[in-house]
Amino acid sequence: MSVKKIMVILGTRPEAVKLAPVISALRNNSDFHTVVLSTAQHRQMLDQVLELFGIVPDYDLNIMTANQTIADVTVSCLQGVGRILADEKPDFVIVQGDTTTVFASALACFYQRIPVGHVEAGLRTADIYSPYPEEANRRLASVLATVHFAPTAWAADNLKHEGIATEKIHVTGNTVIDALLSVAGIPFDLSEKHVNIFTFLKTINRLLLVTAHRRESFGDPFREMCEAMRDIVRTYDDVGIIYPVHPNPNVIATAHELLGNDPRILLVEPLDYVTFIHLMKHAHLLLTDSGGVQEEAPSLGKPVLIMREKTERQEGIEAGVTRLVGTSRQGIVSAVKQLLDNVNDYKVMVTGNNPFGDGKASGRIVSIISDYFRE
Ligand code: UD1
Ligand code: UDP
């Protein structure tokens, strides 16, 4: 087979985390010439990950603007990606997940009849507004993609039920576990890099690590989430919260207004991936609305309480390693209390089994792409 040009397109932090191992596997395969295009829908958060994994994009559209709308991102990606596709003419494009970068890039490829491989395909909630706009982005990407890399059998079934041909769907595991395993063993000293976190951890016994940023929760649900965090540290004097606040202005303002003055809540800027994974290992439990954190934490044996009304990652709930607790103040507080007060209930969630992947997804994806060109 002649060398094929594969373009990997990414734009946000989670895409970079989940595509870093795929880029590495592609670059280790001499059948492929890999070109990386960053839309830079995110800036600092994306750059943190690219730097860690030594990825220097061949193209950087630099589209992020402060408090951008979904439409801003869609238009900039569609036009910017379209221009580069026309110049580079890749044989195959890889996108990952459910962001606007993914949907707009898949559409740009479709317009130029370039085949798209969609990594992490097939996750569904059945509610187009939850998560918003990700559920729609992911469905639209499925319509446009040529090859579907489903992380689990459940995700593959969702695609089959939508009429996608079985031979185009491959169950690979989620590449986030590949990424996690590649950094989890890196020796790490908090006292050198993050003195504020190191000092804070000395003042508490049990750490709740929090992330929250979903658009569908902006407004009252996000306020309730913050109020729940305050209630928890006021009820338990051995518990502290570290919350790396997502830089979306809608999140920052409320988080600092409601949580900025509590001595047992530490608000920090987004943490680099290695530090965040290190803190995850240190945490008693995770309170999150993030997709990636739901998938990673089970590998580290940490219970996850999901602050959302719906999740497209049902497998964690079925395996008993994550729980959906909603976004109401009362619902979050009572779910956290249940785990803080009840050692046996906590232990039930600590299995070390991860239904999302085994750390070998990227190799599978690259060999499926090889087969695609041989057929
Ligand atoms: C985006 C994705 C979401 C994903 C999340 C991961 C869409 C519509 N949303 O949400 O699916 O779960 O990324 O984090 O695709 N900002 C910065 N620096 C950064 C990143 C963001 O300052 O590095 C601020 C900017 O003001 C930006 C705003 O956050 O305008 C929103 O960024 P955007 O990518 O539109 O949405 P997210 O909420 O980050
Ligand atoms: N993460 C990180 N630093 C942080 C918080 C999260 O590196 O301060 C990582 C986390 O381990 C996971 C990814 O970012 O791999 C999740 O990104 P995010 O929550 O922004 O997006 P989602 O997964 O919800 O799309």
Side-chain angles (χ1 to χ4, degrees):
M1 156 175 125
S2 61
V3 172
K4 299 296 178 192
K5 188 189 282 184
I6 312 292
M7 183 179 278
V8 179
I9 304 182
L10 44 79
T12 67
R13 172 172 67 188
E15 291 160 72
V17 168
K18 291 171 171 181
L19 285 173
V22 178
I23 292 169
S24 166
L26 282 167
R27 289 199 161 143
N28 284 331
N29 188 319
S30 55
D31 288 343
F32 300 122
H33 168 61
T34 307
V35 176
V36 176
L37 162 54
S38 163
T39 65
Q41 174 178 338
H42 281 176
R43 192 67 277 173
Q44 320 86 285
M45 293 206 300
L46 175 70
D47 293 344
Q48 279 180 330
V49 181
L50 295 178
E51 192 186 329
L52 169 69
F53 288 104
I55 299 166
V56 180
D58 300 276
Y59 295 94
D60 187 327
L61 295 176
N62 198 24
I63 68 163
M64 195 194 86
T65 54
N67 209 8
Q68 61 204 1
T69 65
I70 302 168
D72 295 333
V73 178
T74 308
V75 171
S76 304
C77 281
L78 189 57
Q79 292 183 333
V81 170
R83 272 194 304 273
I84 293 166
L85 291 175
D87 286 346
E88 280 283 345
K89 298 186 175 44
D91 296 298
F92 193 87
V93 166
I94 296 178
V95 294
Q96 191 285 335
D98 58 10
T99 67
T100 297
T101 286
V102 174
F103 160 57
S105 299
L107 186 58
C109 290
F110 169 73
Y111 287 156
Q112 297 187 37
R113 299 173 194 268
I114 295 170
V116 174
H118 184 204
V119 175
E120 203 188 70
L123 283 61
R124 298 287 186 266
T125 62
D127 178 352
I128 204 158
Y129 284 105
S130 181
Y132 165 84
E134 291 83 6
E135 177 77 3
N137 283 340
R138 211 185 280 274
R139 283 172 179 269
L140 293 162
S142 295
V143 172
L144 299 165
T146 314
V147 184
H148 309 258
F149 303 108
T152 64
W154 179 74
D157 282 346
N158 289 335
L159 295 166
K160 287 174 199 162
H161 289 144
E162 288 169 17
I164 293 172
T166 308
E167 62 272 18
K168 293 183 175 175
I169 303 168
H170 305 270
V171 178
T172 61
N174 197 307
T175 57
V176 78
I177 312 303
D178 308 21
L180 172 73
L181 297 182
S182 74
V183 304
I186 295 177
F188 189 80
D189 186 354
L190 261 181
S191 66
E192 269 180 24
K193 262 186 101 179
H194 295 281
V195 181
N196 58 337
I197 296 177
F198 180 73
T199 311
F200 179 81
L201 288 177
K202 284 189 178 164
T203 68
I204 60 165
N205 281 331
R206 290 186 288 183
L207 170 66
L208 267 60
L209 184 59
V210 172
T211 76
H213 69 84
R214 302 237 76 88
R215 276 175 204 261
E216 70 271 14
S217 300
F218 289 173
D220 288 343
F222 186 63
R223 293 187 80 83
E224 295 233 355
M225 285 151 72
C226 292
E227 281 158 356
M229 291 179 223
R230 240 176 16 195
D231 291 347
I232 291 158
V233 291
R234 288 177 186 175
T235 310
Y236 295 90
D237 57 16
D238 69 321
V239 169
I241 288 178
I242 297 180
Y243 174 11
V245 182
H246 191 288
N248 192 317
N250 303 283
V251 174
I252 293 185
T254 309
H256 282 269
E257 177 202 330
L258 295 178
L259 306 173
N261 289 320
D262 200 301
R264 266 182 298 109
I265 299 180
L266 183 64
L267 301 181
V268 292
E269 293 197 349
L271 295 166
D272 65 274
Y273 189 53
V274 178
T275 305
F276 187 75
I277 296 301
H278 179 82
L279 276 187
M280 230 196 252
K281 286 194 213 162
H282 200 89
H284 188 67
L285 60 90
L286 282 301
L287 204 50
T288 190
D289 66 8
S290 159
V293 174
Q294 290 175 58
E295 294 155 345
E296 292 163 335
S299 282
L300 302 172
K302 302 296 174 178
V304 178
L305 298 181
I306 308 164
M307 295 189 290
R308 293 196 195 183
E309 299 305 329
K310 292 183 178 156
T311 179
E312 65 282 52
R313 292 166 169 90
Q314 283 297 335
E315 299 91 332
I317 294 173
E318 279 159 26
V321 291
T322 65
R323 284 180 190 170
L324 190 63
V325 303
T327 54
S328 79
R329 178 179 184 171
Q330 189 269 331
I332 295 167
V333 171
S334 86
V336 172
K337 278 185 164 178
Q338 168 88 8
L339 286 188
L340 290 179
D341 293 345
N342 188 330
V343 180
N344 289 334
D345 198 33
Y346 181 91
K347 280 188 187 154
V348 167
M349 292 189 78
V350 181
T351 65
N353 295 331
N354 193 324
F356 296 107
D358 61 0
K360 297 177 184 162
S362 307
R364 292 187 190 108
I365 288 169
V366 171
S367 85
I368 293 159
I369 297 172
S370 293
D371 292 346
Y372 171 85
F373 284 109
R374 290 206 175 89
E375 277 161 11

